Amino acid sequence: MPTLSWPYALEADATPPTDADRLLLWLVRRQWRTIVAGAAFGIPWMLSIALVPASIGKAIDDGIVARDGRALLFWAGVILAMGLVSAATTNLRHWFAVSNWLFASFRSAIVTDRAIRRTGPALTREKPAGEVLTAYANDFWRMGMVFDVSARFAGAIASFTVVSIILLSGSLTLGLVMLIGGPLLLASLSLVMRPLQKRQAAQREEAGRLTALGADTVTGLRVLRGVGGEENFLTRYAGQSGRVRSAGVRLAGVQAVLDAAQVLLPGVFVVVVTGLGAHLAVAGDISPGQLVAFYGYTAFLTMPLRTATEFVNKLITSRVMAKRVASILEAQPDHPKTATDCPVGTASASELSQPGNQSRDRGSGVLTDPVSGVQIQPGELTALVSARPEETAEIAARLGRTVPGRHGVTWGDASLDDLPIDVVRANIVVSEADPHLFSGPLRRELGVPTGDDEALLAALHTADAADVIDSIDGGLDGEIEERGRSLSGGQRQRLALTRALLRDPAVLVLVEPTSAVDAHTEARIAERIPKHRNGSTTVIVTASPLVLDRADRILVVEDGKVTTHGTHRDLVRNNPAYRRIVLRGEED
């Protein structure tokens, strides 16, 4: 099925700035066409409304007062035309306003998602997971709010300018009141804007902490229950919830002042201009039609003035949200990509990064961990055994570069520390002991290649997982719940093994792949893995005799170092330490 390209998506190498204001301008540059189009319809929309009072004034003076029927009909037609223009442009202006909001929000979500994926676990070491979740789920769409009002703001500026010129031509006094009073009203709002921005940022900070607390608690819910810590959590959550409420109340007070000012200040302005206009009409300086028109202008002016204050309000909100997103964008991963093409065996890093190049002949180099002395020979099934499983699990993590830091692990002539992380991930896959399954269709979770039923059937057979597929409503197209909680531990483990086998990497590292299954299932899996991975480099961290008996070579690890190696039967016969680890008290 062909991939559909959205014309407003971001290019893969787009690099957003990590400053809030520059980030907003960066988004503006990428959608300037729709912003200009919105303004192109926003200006005539508001101008058509602004010029209605002038048309009414002309109809009164030239038609009613002068008793000219044709003039009256003409200006009535002009008023009708203004209404039609307003009706037509308001729909298109609204369409572009919503488009601007959605484009800015969606692109903010894209760059945030890319930053989270690029940074990986390093991000949650700098920021709580709940804070990241709040930024991704809430902040990005609020960043688009200022883009939504941009079309109306352009119309507000244009209409305010035009009305001021009309008033100047009719009365210098009223024109000056408009030109000076309008900007002064907006400037007075700065007294509210600064505390509003501070309180919005404070309220957002407290809300992020509350989400982080909730996320941390959900992660450790079983531990809390086990130690009886529910009451302590409830106390902490109630306290943080109270702080969020207090921050919201403080914010609401300033927001209420701004909302009231949006109505009060234009209202005061209307009263002043109407009073001056009435005084000038009584003095005979302006005509009755002009008086009606001036009153219409003052009533209309509430619209551009309120739009201007709304723009400033949403600009503040967008800047606050942009700062939160920018803080995610500036986070650095543990293993930044490099542009160096490093050889791995006979292949370069750039070659390995191409889809489809993770073939089995790419694993021709020896995988070496200098910290432990582990050497994984290409094309073999190697097992790691230790009395302390965390030791061998740590070695497996280093081999797959899934832990931060530089460890000197080499693969052939290349250092994993110098290879781009995506190249390592494409060629060395580590399937951990506690596999993570996400909610959604099972086919997507397993990463089943499109149309490759042969590979799927082979992986399911090796993992002895066909019955797991049958137990799910809808089979491969059925939905699994978050973390696969509707499945047993053994079922989750077999699906994770299936997923790892389907990747068919050059090097596959399996950490305790059969610890949650029964002995009969374990025997079948142990027999099938060597056949499935025949000729490929495979590492298994395990203490199961059934699996170890199938390994080409076993490395025994003590105190983090390899102390001996051999086959399962030789080590059982000649190495007491290995016997104690593997037989687990079954010795005579």
Side-chain angles (χ1 to χ4, degrees):
M1 182 177 178
T3 301
L4 298 178
S5 177
W6 186 53
Y8 298 104
L10 289 172
E11 56 273 17
D13 58 350
T15 305
T18 56
D19 174 77
D21 293 331
R22 291 172 56 220
L23 176 60
L24 290 174
L25 291 175
W26 184 82
L27 291 171
V28 169
R29 288 196 298 271
R30 272 154 182 77
Q31 59 186 80
W32 67 267
R33 291 180 179 85
T34 56
I35 291 176
V36 170
F41 290 105
I43 291 173
W45 164 70
M46 197 169 283
L47 276 178
S48 64
I49 300 173
L51 294 176
V52 168
S55 301
I56 293 175
K58 282 291 186 179
I60 293 173
D61 287 340
D62 297 350
I64 297 175
V65 175
R67 299 181 181 276
D68 187 342
R70 285 192 174 186
L72 182 61
L73 288 175
F74 173 78
W75 287 110
V78 171
I79 294 170
L80 177 61
M82 294 292 182
L84 294 176
V85 170
S86 176
T89 54
T90 188
N91 290 313
L92 292 169
R93 187 269 311 163
H94 182 69
W95 190 90
F96 279 106
V98 174
S99 297
N100 284 325
W101 169 55
L102 290 177
F103 294 159
S105 298
F106 183 72
R107 285 169 174 152
S108 300
I110 289 177
V111 297
T112 305
D113 175 72
R114 289 178 182 174
I116 292 172
R117 292 174 183 271
R118 171 182 57 82
T119 311
L123 180 60
T124 51
R125 281 194 294 275
E126 294 183 12
K127 296 178 175 294
E131 170 71 15
V132 177
L133 176 62
T134 301
Y136 186 75
N138 182 60
D139 292 350
F140 73 86
W141 70 265
R142 297 179 70 185
M143 278 180 63
M145 293 172 66
V146 70
F147 294 83
D148 167 56
V149 77
S150 62
R152 286 183 288 130
F153 183 61
I157 294 175
S159 61
F160 185 87
T161 303
V162 169
V163 169
S164 298
I165 293 173
I166 293 174
L167 288 176
L168 273 173
S169 64
S171 169
L172 181 62
T173 303
L174 286 176
L176 290 176
V177 168
M178 283 285 295
L179 288 175
I180 298 173
L184 284 178
L185 285 178
L186 289 179
S188 68
L189 293 176
S190 62
L191 300 175
V192 180
M193 296 305 180
R194 187 174 295 276
L196 177 65
Q197 183 171 351
K198 289 183 178 179
R199 296 190 185 190
Q200 277 188 345
Q203 195 271 343
R204 170 61 183 77
E205 186 76 25
E206 295 296 345
R209 289 174 182 171
L210 183 65
T211 306
L213 178 60
D216 291 343
T217 302
V218 170
T219 303
L221 191 57
R222 292 183 180 180
V223 177
L224 279 174
R225 288 177 176 173
V227 299
E230 297 99 321
E231 191 63 35
N232 181 53
F233 157 70
L234 289 174
T235 301
R236 289 181 59 200
Y237 194 86
Q240 183 60 35
S241 180
R243 285 188 285 273
V244 173
R245 182 191 60 191
S246 299
V249 170
R250 290 193 295 271
L251 172 61
V254 181
Q255 186 69 55
V257 171
L258 178 61
D259 292 342
Q262 287 179 317
V263 178
L264 176 63
L265 295 181
V268 171
F269 199 53
V270 168
V271 171
V272 172
V273 174
T274 303
L276 283 174
H279 177 74
L280 292 172
V282 170
D285 294 333
I286 60 175
S287 68
Q290 286 179 309
L291 175 62
V292 173
F294 287 172
Y295 176 78
Y297 292 144
T298 55
F300 160 78
L301 285 174
T302 60
M303 181 185 294
L305 290 173
R306 291 191 66 178
T307 300
T309 54
E310 180 186 357
F311 177 83
V312 175
N313 185 17
K314 289 188 174 180
L315 178 61
I316 289 173
T317 300
S318 295
R319 290 185 72 245
V320 171
M321 299 305 116
K323 287 180 181 179
R324 311 304 303 180
V325 172
S327 67
I328 294 177
L329 299 180
E330 66 183 359
Q332 296 299 318
D334 294 321
H335 308 289
K337 294 183 180 181
T338 66
T340 308
D341 289 339
C342 302
V344 179
T346 59
S348 69
S350 59
E351 290 172 338
L352 283 168
S353 64
Q354 298 301 316
N357 279 0
Q358 300 95 309
S359 56
R360 295 180 177 182
D361 61 352
R362 298 301 186 191
S364 58
V366 178
L367 188 60
T368 304
D369 174 30
V371 176
S372 63
V374 166
Q375 288 190 333
I376 308 299
Q377 298 299 323
E380 288 188 354
L381 193 160
T382 305
L384 303 180
V385 179
S386 174
R388 298 171 58 201
E390 63 272 15
E391 286 185 337
T392 44
E394 184 177 344
I395 294 171
R398 288 201 297 269
L399 294 177
R401 197 173 151 190
T402 61
V403 288
R406 299 177 65 88
H407 303 287
V409 177
T410 59
W411 189 21
D413 298 328
S415 169
L416 293 191
D417 294 331
D418 297 328
L419 280 171
I421 191 65
D422 56 342
V423 173
V424 178
R425 295 285 187 271
N427 291 275
I428 304 176
V429 171
V430 179
S431 182
E432 299 181 351
D434 183 20
H436 291 274
L437 298 176
F438 300 95
S439 60
L442 180 58
R443 183 183 297 275
R444 185 184 66 190
E445 173 63 26
L446 294 179
V448 179
T450 303
D452 196 351
D453 293 338
E454 184 178 348
L456 172 61
L457 292 174
L460 288 172
H461 175 73
T462 300
D464 200 34
D467 63 306
V468 183
I469 305 298
D470 295 336
S471 69
I472 298 174
D473 292 338
L476 283 171
D477 296 318
E479 297 275 333
I480 59 174
E481 297 180 14
E482 184 182 1
R483 299 183 65 88
R485 60 173 177 260
S486 60
L487 304 174
S488 67
Q491 288 176 320
R492 289 195 298 272
Q493 196 170 62
R494 285 182 285 161
L495 286 180
L497 177 57
T498 302
R499 180 174 60 189
L501 293 171
L502 281 169
R503 289 287 303 276
D504 194 23
V507 179
L508 177 60
V509 182
L510 303 172
V511 181
E512 300 290 352
T514 59
S515 59
V517 301
D518 59 74
H520 297 290
T521 303
E522 184 177 34
R524 290 192 291 271
I525 294 174
E527 180 183 0
R528 295 168 183 173
I529 286 179
K531 297 176 182 178
H532 188 101
R533 295 283 299 170
N534 183 34
S536 297
T537 306
T538 308
V539 182
I540 302 181
V541 174
T542 184
S544 166
L546 293 171
V547 178
L548 293 170
D549 189 41
R550 302 287 179 172
D552 297 317
R553 195 164 63 105
I554 297 171
L555 305 180
V556 181
V557 178
E558 297 179 271
D559 297 324
K561 302 286 185 181
V562 175
T563 56
T564 187
H565 63 86
T567 65
H568 172 66
R569 298 189 182 187
D570 288 342
L571 291 171
V572 166
R573 186 166 50 248
N574 302 319
N575 192 298
Y578 179 79
R579 276 201 305 273
R580 285 193 298 272
I581 296 170
V582 174
L583 299 183
R584 305 168 193 166
E586 296 179 14
E587 299 180 85
D588 295 332

